[in-house]
C-alpha cells in the first residue's frame, strides 16, 4: 500500500484514501497534538461557552490556538488532496456543543441558510474536529456513508446499523463531503462534548492530481463502509475529474438501443440511486444517450430534469450546444439545471459564456445565483465576465451578491477591474457578502486590492480578549 507523502508540511492523502472519500463521502483522520494542547483548548472552549455563549463565526479570533489545528499537516494535506492547494477557509465556522441525551436529526447542511444545486464533484468540504476524547457514549457526529450525492434521504431515521461515527481520541476529525447526510448522536454521558466545524471551498477545477497520486485508473478502495448502492460510473468520473480529466468518460461506454431505452425509463425511477446511475450511464453512452438527457432537461418532473443535469455535467462537448439552447427555456428550473451542467463542464463550456452573462440579468434570482457561480467554474475571465460579476455585487438578492464575491475570488488577479466594486461590497449588510468580498481582494492580490483589504481589516479588527467580563484591562 502507498504511504502518505509529506509535501511542504502537508501530509497528502493516498490513492486509497481518495477512493474512500469518493465512495464513502468521508474520512476519519487524526492529528498528533499533545494531551496538554487539547486540555488547554478545552479549558478555553468551556470558559468562552459558559461566560459568553457560542462565539459563532468569531470562533478563530476568540480562541487563536485553533489556528494551529487548521495548520496541522494532516489537515492541510487532507484538504489539499481533495480541494487543491489554494482552497479557501469559509467565513462560516461553528463550535457545536452537545450534552444532550437525545440524538439530533439527520440532515445536510445548508449554505449558511441558503440553497443551491449541490455538486457531486468535491467543490466543498468540511472538517469536524473533536478536541476531547470522544467515545460513542459522548455523542460523536454520525455519518451515513455513501449518501453525499443523494438529495433524498433513502434510509429510515432509526436505521443506524450502517452509521459511521467520528469517534476517537482527542484530535480526531472527520473530513466530509459537504453534502453528506449526518447528525449529532446522543451524549449519554452528559459531559461537555465539542465539535468544531470549519467549511472549505475549492477555488478552481483540478488540472492535475493534488494528492499522493500513483494509480492511473479507477478501482474501488481496498476497504469501504457498507454503502447503500454502487455508483461505478460516478465514482470513476470523480476520480478522473480530481486528476484533471474533465468529461473523460464521455462516449466511452457505447450501448445498444435496447439498453439506452431501458436507461431512459430508469431515469424516472422513484428510487434516486437507480435514477442517478441511469443519468451517469447515459452520459457515457454516446450521442444518443446525451440527446435523451438533453430532452430530459425539459421533463415535466423537475426531479428527472435535475438528475439529467448531473449526467450532462460529465457528458463532454457533445452536450454543450444543447445546454446553451436550454438557457433560453421559459422554465426557471430548466435554466438552472442547464447552467449547473455547463459549470461542471469547465473550460469545455467556454462558448456558453456570452449566454451565461445574459443570465446574470435574468428575472429569476435562482437563475442569477447559478449563473454567477458557474461563470467562475468555467474559468474564462473575460472583461465582460468580470464586469458582469462586479455588477452582481449590487444585486437585490443577497445570495447573488455573495456568490459574486466568491466567483471573483476564483478568478483571482484577472478580476482586478472589480476592486472598486468589491470595496463597496465590504459595507454590505450581509456578513457573507462582506467576507467573500474580502476574500476576493485577497485572491486578486494587486497592490490596490491589498491596500483596500488592509484598510477594511483595520477598521473591523476584533480583539479576542475583550469580553463583557474583561472590557478594557489588562
Amino acid at each position: 500500500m502507498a504511504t502518505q507523502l509529506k509535501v511542504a508540511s502537508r501530509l497528502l492523502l493516498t490513492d486509497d484514501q481518495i477512493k474512500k472519500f469518493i465512495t464513502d463521502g468521508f474520512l476519519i483522520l487524526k492529528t498528533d497534538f499533545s494531551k496538554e494542547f487539547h486540555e488547554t483548548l478545552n479549558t478555553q472552549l468551556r470558559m468562552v461557552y459558559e461566560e459568553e455563549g457560542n462565539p459563532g463565526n468569531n470562533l478563530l479570533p476568540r480562541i487563536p490556538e485553533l489556528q494551529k489545528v487548521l495548520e496541522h499537516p494532516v489537515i492541510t494535506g487532507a484538504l489539499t488532496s481533495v480541494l487543491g492547494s489554494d482552497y479557501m477557509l469559509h467565513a462560516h465556522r461553528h463550535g457545536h456543543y452537545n450534552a444532550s441525551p437525545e440524538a439530533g436529526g439527520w440532515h445536510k447542511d445548508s449554505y449558511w441558510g441558503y440553497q443551491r444545486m449541490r455538486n457531486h464533484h468535491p467543490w466543498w468540504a468540511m472538517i469536524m474536529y473533536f478536541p476531547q476524547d470522544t467515545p460513542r457514549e459522548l455523542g460523536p457526529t454520525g455519518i451515513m456513508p455513501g449518501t453525499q450525492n443523494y438529495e433524498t434521504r433513502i434510509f429510515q431515521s432509526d436505521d443506524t446499523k450502517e452509521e459511521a461515527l467520528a469517534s476517537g481520541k482527542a484530535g480526531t476529525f472527520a473530513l466530509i463531503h459537504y453534502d453528506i447526510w449526518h447528525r449529532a448522536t446522543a451524549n449519554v454521558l452528559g459531559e461537555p462534548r465539542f465539535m468544531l466545524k470549519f467549511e472549505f471551498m475549492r477555488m478552481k477545477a483540478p488540472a492535475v492530481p493534488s494528492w499522493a497520486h500513483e494509480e492511473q485508473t479507477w478501482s474501488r478502495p481496498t476497504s469501504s463502509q457498507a454503502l447503500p448502492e454502487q455508483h461505478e460510473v460516478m465514482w470513476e468520473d470523480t476520480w478522473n475529474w480530481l486528476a484533471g480529466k474533465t468529461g473523460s468518460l464521455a462516449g466511452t461506454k457505447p450501448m445498444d438501443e435496447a439498453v439506452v431505452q431501458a436507461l431512459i425509463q430508469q431515469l424516472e425511477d422513484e428510487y434516486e440511486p437507480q435514477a442517478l446511475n441511469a443519468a451517469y450511464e447515459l452520459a457515457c453512452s454516446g450521442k444518443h444517450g446525451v440527446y435523451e438527457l438533453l430532452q430530459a432537461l425539459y421533463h415535466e418532473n423537475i426531479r428527472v430534469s435535475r438528475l439529467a443535469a448531473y449526467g450532462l455535467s460529465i457528458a463532454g462537448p457533445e452536450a454543450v450546444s444543447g445546454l446553451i439552447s436550454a438557457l433560453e427555456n421559459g422554465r426557471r428550473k430548466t435554466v438552472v439545471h442547464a447552467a449547473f451542467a455547463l459549470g461542471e463542464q469547465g473550460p469545455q463550456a467556454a462558448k456558453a459564456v456570452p449566454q451565461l452573462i445574459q443570465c446574470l440579468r435574468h428575472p429569476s434570482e435562482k437563475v442569477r445565483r447559478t449563473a454567477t457561480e458557474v461563470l467562475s467554474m468555467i474559468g474564462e475571465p473575460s472583461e465582460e465576465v468580470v464586469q458582469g460579476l462586479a455588477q452582481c455585487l449590487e444585486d437585490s438578492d443577497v445570495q447573488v451578491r455573495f456568490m459574486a464575491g466568491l466567483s471573483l475570488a476564483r478568478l483571482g488577479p484577472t478580476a482586478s477591474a472589480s476592486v472598486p466594486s468589491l470595496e463597496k461590497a465590504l459595507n454590505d449588510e450581509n456578513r457573507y457578502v462582506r467576507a467573500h468580498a474580502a476574500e476576493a481582494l485577497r485572491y486578486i492580490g494587486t497592490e490596490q486590492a491589498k491596500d483596500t483589504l488592509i484598510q477594511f481589516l483595520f477598521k473591523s479588527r476584533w480583539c479576542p480578549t475583550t469580553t463583557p467580563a474583561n472590557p478594557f484591562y489588562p
Side-chain angles (χ1 to χ4, degrees):
M1 178 179 292
T3 57
Q4 284 186 302
L5 178 65
K6 190 171 185 178
V7 177
S9 298
R10 300 183 180 195
L11 196 59
L12 299 179
L13 298 179
T14 66
D15 283 334
D16 205 59
Q17 287 174 313
I18 286 289
K19 291 174 185 178
K20 280 181 63 64
F21 184 82
I22 291 171
T23 59
D24 299 8
F26 73 98
L27 292 170
I28 305 298
L29 303 168
K30 188 179 182 303
T31 61
D32 60 357
F33 289 109
S34 67
K35 179 181 178 181
E36 291 74 22
F37 174 84
H38 283 116
E39 287 176 346
T40 300
L41 184 56
N42 276 286
T43 297
Q44 292 177 321
L45 284 165
R46 285 192 294 270
M47 180 187 69
V48 169
Y49 274 68
E50 290 171 3
E51 296 181 0
E52 306 164 31
N54 193 322
N57 291 344
N58 285 327
L59 184 63
L60 272 177
R62 186 65 192 88
I63 306 176
E65 287 292 297
L66 279 175
Q67 189 61 43
K68 294 180 181 179
V69 171
L70 298 181
E71 294 170 354
H72 192 281
V74 173
I75 286 183
T76 58
L79 290 168
T80 295
S81 298
V82 171
L83 299 177
S85 61
D86 60 347
Y87 61 83
M88 179 194 292
L89 167 63
H90 194 269
H92 175 70
R93 61 289 303 257
H94 192 73
H96 288 261
Y97 175 82
N98 177 25
S100 173
E102 300 293 330
W106 288 102
H107 65 281
K108 289 173 177 272
D109 279 17
S110 72
Y111 292 83
W112 334 296
Y114 300 93
Q115 297 297 322
R116 58 187 292 281
M117 192 164 171
R118 297 175 184 269
N119 306 92
H120 290 176
H121 293 147
W123 283 90
W124 305 72
M126 283 194 282
I127 292 287
M128 295 179 168
Y129 190 88
F130 294 86
Q132 70 284 300
D133 291 353
T134 311
R136 173 187 294 269
E137 296 78 12
L138 197 60
T141 298
I143 302 167
M144 193 54 72
T147 60
Q148 63 273 18
N149 296 324
Y150 304 152
E151 191 72 19
T152 53
R153 192 180 70 198
I154 64 169
F155 54 93
Q156 299 299 315
S157 295
D158 59 353
D159 183 6
T160 61
K161 61 181 181 297
E162 307 300 347
E163 180 178 18
L165 298 177
S167 61
K169 293 292 185 180
T172 297
F173 68 95
L175 169 69
I176 72 171
H177 188 293
Y178 190 91
D179 299 319
I180 203 164
W181 287 91
H182 61 281
R183 67 170 184 165
T185 61
N187 183 347
V188 298
L189 298 180
E191 299 172 3
R193 186 280 274 165
F194 290 100
M195 183 274 281
L196 310 177
K197 183 186 78 173
F198 298 93
E199 302 179 357
F200 303 85
M201 295 173 289
R202 171 180 285 279
M203 298 307 288
K204 56 178 174 286
V208 295
S210 55
W211 69 96
H213 182 58
E214 295 181 358
E215 300 178 35
Q216 298 304 308
T217 58
W218 165 256
S219 61
R220 294 188 189 186
T222 54
S223 63
S224 184
Q225 297 288 137
L227 303 177
E229 295 294 341
Q230 305 299 303
H231 298 285
E232 287 295 337
V233 176
M234 181 168 62
W235 294 339
E236 182 178 2
D237 168 76
T238 302
W239 166 268
N240 290 348
W241 183 83
L242 282 168
K245 303 173 184 176
T246 300
S248 62
L249 297 183
T252 61
K253 303 179 187 298
M255 303 170 186
D256 60 36
E257 179 66 19
V259 175
V260 170
Q261 289 301 319
L263 289 173
I264 294 169
Q265 294 299 314
Q266 187 178 324
L267 189 62
E268 300 182 18
D269 197 300
E270 290 294 329
Y271 185 54
E272 186 178 9
Q274 294 297 332
L276 193 58
N277 274 342
Y280 274 87
E281 289 172 26
L282 284 167
C284 303
S285 66
K287 290 185 177 181
H288 188 187
V290 173
Y291 171 81
E292 293 295 345
L293 285 173
L294 287 168
Q295 297 310 300
L297 274 180
Y298 306 97
H299 198 285
E300 62 182 1
N301 187 325
I302 293 297
R303 179 182 59 82
V304 175
S305 175
R306 177 179 60 83
L307 291 168
Y310 284 119
L312 291 164
S313 71
I314 74 160
E318 187 69 38
V320 171
S321 293
L323 288 168
I324 293 173
S325 296
L327 295 176
E328 303 291 334
N329 192 259
R331 188 174 68 172
R332 171 179 54 82
K333 283 289 189 180
T334 297
V335 180
V336 168
H337 296 159
F340 170 86
L342 287 165
E344 288 287 2
Q345 292 263 14
Q348 294 179 138
K351 67 179 183 178
V353 167
Q355 287 81 356
L356 287 167
I357 292 174
Q358 292 181 23
C359 287
L360 296 178
R361 298 183 292 275
H362 197 281
S364 167
E365 70 276 3
K366 292 186 178 179
V367 171
R368 300 199 304 275
R369 293 169 186 171
T370 306
T372 299
E373 181 174 17
V374 304
L375 278 166
S376 66
M377 295 167 69
I378 291 173
E380 291 289 322
S382 66
E383 181 180 342
E384 292 77 16
V385 169
V386 174
Q387 182 181 10
L389 292 175
Q391 291 172 350
C392 286
L393 290 168
E394 299 184 18
D395 195 277
S396 59
D397 181 73
V398 65
Q399 191 169 349
V400 173
R401 300 201 302 274
F402 67 63
M403 291 313 300
L406 172 59
S407 286
L408 290 166
R410 283 175 170 163
L411 295 181
T414 58
S416 60
S418 68
V419 169
S421 297
L422 289 165
E423 183 175 11
K424 292 180 181 179
L426 292 173
N427 294 311
D428 195 277
E429 63 183 7
N430 182 273
R431 72 190 76 188
Y432 299 118
V433 176
R434 298 193 299 270
H436 281 179
E439 288 288 0
L441 291 167
R442 181 169 73 93
Y443 277 87
I444 289 171
T446 62
E447 288 302 313
Q448 182 187 11
K450 288 188 286 187
D451 287 346
T452 302
L453 178 58
I454 289 171
Q455 290 181 30
F456 166 72
L457 293 176
F458 265 102
K459 291 175 184 177
S460 60
R461 66 186 183 273
W462 189 74
C463 176
T465 57
T466 298
T467 68
N470 180 24
F472 305 116
Y473 306 109

